[in-house]
Amino acid sequence: MVRSGSFSEEENFHRQASFGGGGSRNTSPLGRMGSRNTSPSRQKVIKTKPRGLDEETVATFTKYVQPDIHMEDNIWAMLPEDLLNEILARVPPFMIFRLRSVCKRWNSILQDNSFLKFHSQVPSHGPCLLTYWKNSQTPQCSVFSLPLKQWFRIPCTFLPQWAFWLVGSSRGLVCFSGLDGLTFKTLVCNPLTQSWRTLPSLHYNQQRQLIMVVDRKDRSFKVIATSDIYGDKSLPTEVYDSKVDKWSLHQTMPAVNLCSSKMAFCDSRLYLETLSPLGLMMYRLDTGQWEHIPAKFPRSLLDGYLIAGTQKRLFLVGRIGLYSTLQSMKIWELDHTKFVWIEVSRMPPRYFRALLRLSAERFECFGQDNLICFTSWNQGKGLLYDVDKKVWSWIAGCALQSYNSQVIEANLW
């Protein structure tokens, strides 16, 4: 099933999507910019506060007000279309909705398939944080641009009125699953183009654990359905391929006791945490086979989340400590040769206390491309960690619905 006009072809569906890598990641506080001019002719200085920075480290910076430049309407109105496309293609995708109302010409260009395909070839805008929730049964979606340090509201009224929930996202496409009456359905959408499709029914139409992965090279995506952590563990693994628009049956996951419903997809492999046998279950997408990895978890681990990083890196994020006064949050990386977890970072105590004030307080953790986001169910706060830069920063202005949040990437596919 196809909705929202321009979603008749595979390419059109993918345009305007890609979340995770690319673009600059400026998570460090901004310092004072420019030098002060003490002459009588100095320009007016406006003091403002950067968005998205840690309240404890925010520094006031100055911005000079440039004099208005008169632009000849008759000249800019005749700007060649190829040059206009070059300019508009570099506008952050969240601005597309606003730019469509500028004039009829822009509205026509911004919805043209050739422009959208061209926009998809421009380097990614950068990583973003997607939040989704329902307010009075009305779907709501907001995106926080990490490079711009700004929130954007994206309309979600184009989605069907099902009882669905956010499954995950990959390269800008967002996957939902839910119930349409008594039927379990899976839906994949592009919130920036407001196009969506309902996937064909599974061979075994039961509620499943799902994860979506996108291949940008051939502009396709796959959805993997594993056994449910609380349901029937005898169901075979099913994989949906958008290139053929159907589900295929694969090996049933061996009988194990899963300790979490959270999954991570890294280097064409799907990972799940298991208690018995202790370690990880790994599903190879290329062979369709399951394997057990005897990677024992760190001692005193209370709750853990698997996070997929770049370049085959797999992280384990969890809270450790039996007593509330000794608890802390750590990040480990899997050594794929020795099958052991190596500690790579620890959350500073002041961030841990601000994020989780109670020892039994629940939190969520998700990430992509070496960016890890923490959210607290009770505090409504968002904390971001850049593994490469080793920088912690608060996400300002957010009251996250933590169980419906994802780190994604924004661009026109």
Side-chain angles (χ1 to χ4, degrees):
M1 181 180 296
V2 174
R3 293 292 185 272
S4 190
S6 59
F7 182 33
S8 58
E9 299 179 2
E10 186 70 27
E11 273 193 0
N12 296 345
F13 177 67
H14 286 286
R15 69 186 185 226
Q16 211 165 0
S18 71
F19 281 127
S24 61
R25 299 176 186 150
N26 183 12
T27 56
S28 60
L30 296 177
R32 187 177 300 272
M33 298 173 58
S35 58
R36 185 179 180 185
N37 184 358
T38 57
S39 64
S41 61
R42 67 178 184 270
Q43 293 172 302
K44 182 180 179 181
V45 176
I46 296 178
K47 292 185 177 181
T48 182
K49 176 181 177 181
R51 299 189 179 197
L53 302 179
D54 184 356
E55 298 88 339
E56 300 175 7
T57 58
V58 166
T60 302
F61 71 101
T62 59
K63 180 176 67 175
Y64 290 105
V65 177
Q66 299 294 339
D68 292 337
I69 300 176
H70 181 67
M71 302 175 67
E72 296 291 342
D73 293 343
N74 59 338
I75 295 178
W76 286 95
M78 299 302 295
L79 194 68
E81 187 159 323
D82 57 344
L83 182 56
L84 181 59
N85 287 343
E86 289 280 355
I87 296 173
L88 294 178
R90 284 158 176 78
V91 173
F94 318 112
M95 304 291 189
I96 295 299
F97 295 106
R98 301 179 185 178
L99 295 181
R100 286 176 180 172
S101 61
V102 171
C103 62
K104 292 182 178 179
R105 182 190 180 194
W106 284 28
N107 182 57
S108 176
I109 292 175
L110 294 172
Q111 298 189 67
D112 184 73
N113 289 339
S114 60
F115 167 77
L116 295 171
K117 183 177 181 179
F118 175 68
H119 192 291
S120 68
Q121 299 170 356
V122 175
S124 169
H125 163 72
C128 309
L129 173 66
L130 171 73
T131 64
Y132 171 84
W133 72 99
K134 278 193 174 183
N135 184 12
S136 301
Q137 299 304 313
T138 301
Q140 304 287 334
C141 182
S142 294
V143 174
F144 181 76
S145 168
L146 297 177
L148 297 179
K149 308 292 185 185
Q150 188 174 354
W151 283 97
F152 297 88
R153 179 65 61 85
I154 298 179
C156 283
T157 53
F158 66 94
L159 292 174
Q161 297 299 313
W162 302 344
F164 54 75
W165 51 89
L166 178 63
V167 171
S169 64
S170 180
R171 304 296 173 188
L173 298 182
V174 183
C175 183
F176 295 91
S177 65
L179 297 174
D180 182 13
L182 298 178
T183 305
F184 179 74
K185 290 187 175 182
T186 306
L187 177 153
V188 176
C189 77
N190 185 329
L192 296 180
T193 59
Q194 298 194 351
S195 53
W196 61 278
R197 70 167 56 172
T198 303
L199 304 189
S201 298
L202 294 157
H203 290 84
Y204 297 85
N205 193 23
Q206 299 183 30
Q207 182 174 332
R208 311 282 286 275
Q209 294 297 126
L210 305 174
I211 192 168
M212 180 180 64
V213 294
V214 171
D215 188 334
R216 294 187 63 180
K217 293 182 179 179
D218 60 9
R219 308 181 67 79
S220 65
F221 67 91
K222 294 182 178 180
V223 179
I224 306 173
T226 66
S227 300
D228 190 353
I229 184 174
Y230 301 115
D232 188 353
K233 294 182 174 59
S234 63
L235 296 176
T237 303
E238 299 193 37
V239 178
Y240 171 82
D241 190 339
S242 66
K243 291 185 291 186
V244 296
D245 191 31
K246 67 178 183 180
W247 295 89
S248 56
L249 294 174
H250 298 270
Q251 180 190 16
T252 301
M253 183 173 63
V256 295
N257 291 327
L258 299 177
C259 59
S260 172
S261 62
K262 303 299 181 182
M263 301 180 288
F265 189 83
C266 176
D267 189 32
S268 299
R269 294 170 174 83
L270 176 65
Y271 295 90
L272 298 92
E273 302 173 55
T274 64
L275 286 176
S276 177
L278 190 62
L280 301 172
M281 286 302 300
M282 179 183 69
Y283 176 76
R284 292 182 178 270
L285 188 59
D286 53 349
T287 64
Q289 299 295 314
W290 287 93
E291 299 178 20
H292 177 255
I293 298 179
K296 295 183 178 180
F297 299 119
R299 296 184 59 183
S300 303
L301 181 67
L302 299 179
D303 33 31
Y305 291 84
L306 294 175
I307 303 294
T310 58
Q311 300 178 348
K312 304 180 181 181
R313 303 179 73 180
L314 181 66
F315 299 106
L316 173 65
V317 179
R319 179 170 44 184
I320 63 170
L322 299 179
Y323 304 99
S324 59
T325 56
L326 300 177
Q327 283 187 1
S328 62
M329 192 83 69
K330 291 185 178 182
I331 302 174
W332 298 267
E333 182 177 353
L334 179 65
D335 185 327
H336 291 276
T337 58
K338 300 180 180 179
F339 298 136
V340 294
W341 294 102
I342 307 299
E343 182 178 339
V344 295
S345 184
R346 179 181 300 198
M347 184 182 294
R350 61 190 179 98
Y351 288 110
F352 182 80
R353 291 192 297 267
L355 185 71
L356 301 174
R357 296 181 179 178
L358 303 176
S359 60
E361 192 168 333
R362 297 182 65 182
F363 74 97
E364 284 284 333
C365 181
F366 44 89
Q368 186 173 318
D369 289 359
N370 298 346
L371 288 176
I372 302 176
C373 184
F374 301 82
T375 61
S376 168
W377 280 43
N378 296 333
Q379 303 301 325
K381 293 182 178 181
L383 181 63
L384 188 71
Y385 179 65
D386 190 318
V387 177
D388 296 327
K389 297 181 180 180
K390 301 186 183 302
V391 174
W392 299 85
S393 59
W394 292 109
I395 301 174
C398 69
L400 295 176
Q401 306 295 321
S402 58
Y403 50 89
N404 274 330
S405 301
Q406 292 285 327
V407 172
I408 54 179
E409 179 188 359
N411 197 319
L412 287 174
W413 269 58

